Amino acid sequence: MSLTLIAGIDEQQRVLEAALRGETYTVRVTRKVTNAEGERVEQAAEKRARAWYFEQDNGWYVQCRYGARVLHLNGKSNAVWVATLQEVADVLAAFKAAAESGELDKAVAMAMARAK
């Protein structure tokens, strides 16, 4: 079970909830910037969380990501197609259940192996 993957799925559920309300979901991040005196200081900023789903072919494709990498769900497919935006929630719930039971561990390992 990958806690990083589960945390990402939880965040995507919040992104979806905001999208259904017509809002943009942002997270607060800290960045290092140079101030007027030339010193490096930390500054809080808002960053838009990128969705793992997108609209195409008269429906929505939902991908499961581990960091910046898209997981291959059944060995070659990297997305699940649904007809409406509301159905994306069901796919995210299925991703979370699969991650909690360890079913996505092999896909995460394959994604990390491709990175090397």
Side-chain angles (χ1 to χ4, degrees), residues 17-116:
E17 290 168 4
L20 291 171
R21 291 190 307 267
E23 302 171 0
T24 301
Y25 180 77
T26 58
V27 292
R28 192 162 197 77
V29 296
T30 305
R31 296 191 174 138
K32 292 259 187 188
V33 296
T34 305
N35 64 11
E37 292 80 34
E39 301 169 321
R40 298 284 291 165
V41 294
E42 290 186 357
Q43 180 181 24
E46 292 290 319
K47 176 184 164 193
R48 182 179 64 91
R50 297 185 69 164
W52 291 357
Y53 53 89
F54 56 93
E55 189 174 16
Q56 186 175 319
D57 300 331
N58 295 321
W60 295 84
Y61 285 94
V62 187
Q63 297 176 320
C64 188
R65 294 177 173 264
Y66 187 76
R69 299 193 179 359
V70 177
L71 301 182
H72 291 272
L73 303 174
N74 63 359
K76 56 184 178 178
S77 176
N78 69 0
V80 175
W81 185 88
V82 293
T84 65
L85 186 59
Q86 290 78 10
E87 293 177 83
V88 171
D90 297 333
V91 176
L92 292 174
F95 286 165
K96 185 172 182 177
E100 289 173 341
S101 68
E103 292 177 45
L104 294 178
D105 290 350
K106 183 177 177 185
V108 169
M110 286 175 50
M112 298 313 294
R114 284 193 312 263
K116 294 179 182 179

